[in-house]
Amino acid sequence: MADSTLVFIVLGLTLAAFVWGRFRYDLVALAALLGSVILGLVPGEEAFLGFGHPAVITVAAVLVLSRGFERSGVVDVIAEQVLRVGERLFLQLLVLTGTVVVLSGIMNNVGALALLLPVAMRLAREHDASPSILLMPLAFGSLLGGLTTLIGTPPNIIIASYRGSVTGDNFGLFSFTPVGAVVALAGFAFILLVGWRLVPQRAGKASLDAMFDTANYLVELRVGEESKANGLTLRELQQELEETIPVLAVVRDEKKRAGHAFFGTLREGDILLMEAGPDEMKLLEDKAGLRLGKDAEEEEQGADEEEETEAGLKAESPSVDSRQAQVEEKAGEEAERGKEKEEKRGVDTEGLQLAEAVVRNDSMMVNRTVTQLRLHNQFGLHLVAVARDGGRLKQRLREVRFRPGDVLLLQGGESELAESLATLGCLPLASRNLTLGQPRMLLASIAIFAAAILAMIFDLLPAAVALSLAALVALLVGVLPLREGYQAIDGPVIVLLGAMIPVGQALETSGGATLIAEAMLAWGAEWPVIVTLVGLFVLSMVLSNIVNNAAAALLMAPIAASLASGFNASVDPFLMVVAVSASCAFLTPIGHQSNTLVMGPGGYRFGDYWRLGLPLSLVVLAVAIPMILLVWPL
């Protein structure tokens, strides 16, 4: 069997596995690499050279630098300015989407979205609006901004490196700017003027306050003398219940202690503030002997008060009208006290350190349960609730297998929460009684990044070396801890790139890319070259909506080069077509991490994305092709 046929079989199975989604894309890519080695398509001694490829090193360095921006107080600076725009939707979209477009050009686009997502959530809450109208434009803006520079998105880095392997000269830092900036500006203008009207508004359902209306779920349960919970720790109580029911706080002697920080034993008279519905309430009563409502002393006191009232009424023997007035007055006082108690119980979450976060695509939580993660023992976090597709899940927490885009309501210590979320691979959305972060070496991170940019502009250092040096200096001066620097490197993306680079090269060396190019040449032989460029653009864009955009760029780059050779034209416009189209995954939530990250908080459904994504894709296509031919002529 010809090598080209074997390559097509491997790539076909790889793409099918990507679309199926049963296995993570990094594992699929690694399997494709090892399968190519076994079939003799990739020499064994060259199998892992892709992990040392400049594109892989550059992506890793950009991820570290982007995390440094996240920790340096950029969120607080931006939030302070954005929150001043007021309640006008046009201004909110202008500032939020415009900011993410600019930031995505100088840092990883997922990192830029991570900075502004909490700001958008806070803005929606302050003006009592659904965040769904803001989040999809924000996600698409991050993709558009990535088009503008070499470091904005992995496909640009891949295409720049591939061009170096073909012509001996890489694309520079701002080689993408003339085309990318115009396309980004056109896309931004379309979103701002027309596109936002196409975004489905998930009012109520999409609001995190509605999904996590804690006041409707909190109950106060008292530990009685005969309660099985008496003398147990909270961990022992969970084991006794064989259920994950969060204890948010323990009230003792009128002092509230957050559940995640309570390590003593329960005793008579303690009040547990818990998240529990009717089924959980019955379980707590049957297995732990916890009771809702007044304790015996309060009931006895209430009974005595009623007897005294009745005796007083009999002794005074007032008129019927007088007795009726006294009864109504008494009922009014009781109702007022009950209302005050209910309000206190329902909304008093001060000091509980509740925070909301969304599960990222690369999170270690994906397809695992809270029990498997040992969330409380290992990370010091209580899982309070999970929301998916805009609504709160009703199933038992211990049975929930987390998915990318799930929104979690968590409780944990203020000092440990940020680190735990970073380790788990979750993106903080907003917090309750918890600040989003504190400024840390903002000027230092900006200066380090600027020095790397200057080194690249003046060709003092290659991009991979300049950015790696900047990442190293950022770690040495403490812009972010070394541990968090390693966490910032997106392992699955690095494995995907390192594994797929040799497979992409096999597509070229086996003649597979030439066969595809010849088919496209034959199809477009009677048409102008621009028609073939449009076909290449559409093919690459569709591919990027079903697989990772980096994988799409790796697979389409050899085909683009073969097409250029077949037309006896410059390779640059063909590679630019791939660079732009591979970064325009606007049609599905799985095409790019930015799309997945806003799905849960925005309450979007799978089919919502094409409503804005399809016309935006057409706008990008209509603007990109003429600009590419103008800047990079055939």
Side-chain angles (χ1 to χ4, degrees):
M1 190 177 294
D3 285 351
S4 59
T5 304
L6 290 175
V7 166
F8 289 144
I9 292 174
V10 170
L11 290 178
L13 293 174
T14 302
L15 291 177
F18 279 143
V19 175
W20 184 27
R22 175 65 178 83
F23 302 102
R24 275 188 7 182
Y25 55 78
D26 52 331
L27 298 180
V28 173
L30 193 58
L33 171 62
L34 297 177
S36 298
V37 173
I38 292 172
L39 294 173
L41 301 173
V42 175
E45 61 274 11
E46 299 178 7
F48 301 106
L49 293 182
F51 290 92
H53 194 277
V56 177
I57 304 303
T58 303
V59 169
V62 170
L63 291 172
V64 174
L65 291 171
S66 296
R67 181 64 62 86
F69 278 121
E70 291 180 39
R71 284 184 57 92
S72 63
V74 174
V75 170
D76 298 319
V77 173
I78 295 173
E80 183 180 353
Q81 302 302 319
V82 171
L83 292 175
R84 295 178 179 177
V85 302
E87 60 184 14
R88 289 187 60 187
L89 181 59
F90 178 83
L91 291 180
Q92 292 175 3
L93 288 167
L94 174 67
V95 175
L96 278 173
T97 310
T99 303
V100 82
V101 168
V102 173
L103 287 178
S104 296
I106 59 174
M107 61 187 295
N108 176 263
N109 43 24
V110 177
L113 178 68
L115 289 178
L116 287 169
L117 192 51
V119 180
M121 298 303 302
R122 194 188 306 178
L123 190 65
R125 285 181 178 172
E126 286 207 358
H127 298 291
D128 195 25
S130 170
S132 62
I133 200 67
L134 297 175
L135 296 189
M136 191 179 290
L138 191 67
F140 289 175
S142 72
L143 302 187
L144 290 170
L147 300 173
T148 57
T149 66
L150 168 70
I151 60 176
T153 184
N156 286 2
I157 298 172
I158 292 165
I159 294 300
S161 296
Y162 185 82
R163 196 232 194 191
S165 67
V166 173
T167 67
D169 187 19
N170 291 10
F171 281 130
L173 177 63
F174 296 112
S175 297
F176 300 88
T177 305
V179 173
V182 173
V183 171
L185 185 59
F188 173 53
F190 174 78
I191 291 173
L192 192 62
L193 299 176
V194 179
W196 66 270
R197 304 175 191 274
L198 305 175
V199 178
Q201 297 190 42
R202 304 298 183 195
K205 278 180 135 184
S207 169
L208 289 181
D209 284 331
M211 289 191 293
F212 295 141
D213 190 1
T214 312
N216 291 334
Y217 292 84
L218 286 182
V219 293
E220 290 179 353
L221 299 172
R222 184 177 295 274
V223 180
E225 183 179 0
E226 302 298 327
S227 298
K228 295 179 184 178
N230 195 354
L232 299 180
T233 64
L234 294 184
R235 182 178 180 184
E236 291 169 342
L237 175 62
Q238 299 284 3
Q239 293 173 345
E240 180 73 22
L241 296 173
E242 298 179 351
E243 182 58 272
T244 307
I245 303 177
V247 179
L248 299 185
V250 178
V251 182
R252 177 181 295 171
D253 300 329
E254 298 184 355
K255 293 182 180 179
K256 185 190 297 180
R257 299 170 176 83
H260 70 277
F262 183 86
F263 301 104
T265 57
L266 299 173
R267 62 190 189 202
E268 181 185 358
D270 286 349
I271 297 175
L272 306 184
L273 188 65
M274 304 187 71
E275 273 261 327
D279 294 338
E280 290 84 359
M281 287 286 297
K282 189 175 185 307
L283 179 68
L284 290 164
E285 184 172 353
D286 293 343
K287 287 196 172 186
L290 299 174
R291 297 288 188 270
L292 177 66
K294 300 177 181 179
D295 61 7
E297 182 179 348
E298 288 177 332
E299 290 175 355
E300 183 178 349
Q301 182 179 357
D304 290 343
E305 290 178 354
E306 289 179 4
E307 290 177 2
E308 290 175 2
T309 302
E310 291 177 2
L313 290 173
K314 289 178 180 178
E316 295 176 4
S317 300
S319 64
V320 175
D321 291 341
S322 179
R323 287 202 302 272
Q324 182 66 24
Q326 289 177 347
V327 170
E328 290 179 357
E329 182 181 355
K330 182 73 174 178
E333 291 175 356
E334 290 291 341
E336 188 66 27
R337 284 199 295 269
K339 182 179 179 181
E340 290 176 359
K341 183 175 180 181
E342 182 63 28
E343 287 179 355
K344 180 179 179 182
R345 186 186 74 184
V347 299
D348 184 13
T349 58
E350 184 177 358
L352 297 186
Q353 305 300 350
L354 296 175
E356 290 142 0
V358 62
V359 178
R360 296 177 59 144
N361 301 57
D362 55 346
S363 170
M364 64 185 294
M365 302 181 74
V366 174
N367 291 326
R368 302 175 73 182
T369 65
V370 64
T371 305
Q372 292 171 333
L373 291 164
R374 301 181 66 201
L375 203 61
H376 182 243
N377 294 337
Q378 192 162 344
F379 299 96
L381 298 177
H382 278 164
L383 177 65
V384 179
V386 180
R388 182 178 295 162
D389 299 332
R392 180 169 177 157
L393 295 184
K394 302 298 183 183
Q395 69 188 101
R396 292 182 174 181
L397 291 178
R398 68 175 182 176
E399 297 174 354
V400 175
R401 286 192 176 273
F402 302 109
R403 298 178 187 172
D406 282 354
V407 182
L408 314 179
L409 182 61
L410 298 161
Q411 182 193 42
E414 184 172 354
S415 57
E416 299 88 6
L417 192 57
E419 183 176 354
S420 296
L421 290 178
T423 303
L424 289 167
C426 291
L427 176 64
L429 290 178
S431 57
R432 304 184 181 198
N433 308 309
L434 185 69
T435 57
L436 286 171
Q438 297 178 353
R440 297 178 181 178
M441 304 187 72
L442 177 58
L443 293 179
S445 62
I446 293 175
I448 293 169
F449 183 73
I453 296 299
L454 290 174
M456 295 164 62
I457 291 175
F458 292 104
D459 291 328
L460 300 178
L461 293 171
V465 176
L467 293 169
S468 297
L469 181 59
L472 175 63
V473 174
L475 294 171
L476 289 175
V477 302
V479 170
L480 73 166
L482 181 60
R483 178 181 177 183
E484 193 165 343
Y486 279 111
Q487 291 173 350
I489 299 175
D490 192 345
V493 170
I494 298 303
V495 173
L496 170 73
L497 292 174
M500 290 301 293
I501 284 174
V503 176
Q505 291 172 345
L507 177 64
E508 187 174 10
T509 57
S510 67
T514 301
L515 289 176
I516 297 175
E518 288 175 351
M520 295 185 70
L521 286 169
W523 171 77
E526 299 179 359
W527 300 92
V529 179
I530 189 173
V531 176
T532 303
L533 287 176
V534 171
L536 179 66
F537 192 103
V538 172
L539 179 61
S540 180
M541 185 168 58
V542 170
L543 189 61
S544 72
N545 275 283
I546 58 177
V547 302
N548 182 278
N549 59 355
L554 285 167
L555 294 176
M556 295 303 298
I559 298 172
S562 296
L563 276 173
S565 177
F567 279 111
N568 196 25
S570 169
V571 74
D572 292 340
F574 290 86
L575 291 180
M576 276 294 170
V577 163
V578 173
V580 174
S581 57
S583 296
C584 294
F586 302 126
L587 301 179
T588 68
I590 62 174
H592 195 276
Q593 282 196 46
S594 292
N595 295 353
T596 308
L597 286 174
V598 300
M599 188 175 186
Y604 303 122
R605 304 187 184 99
F606 193 97
D608 288 341
Y609 286 78
W610 71 268
R611 295 174 59 177
L612 171 58
L614 181 58
L616 180 59
S617 299
L618 295 176
V619 169
V620 169
L621 172 62
V623 174
I625 296 296
M627 282 301 303
I628 289 171
L629 292 177
L630 178 64
V631 178
W632 304 96
L634 295 169

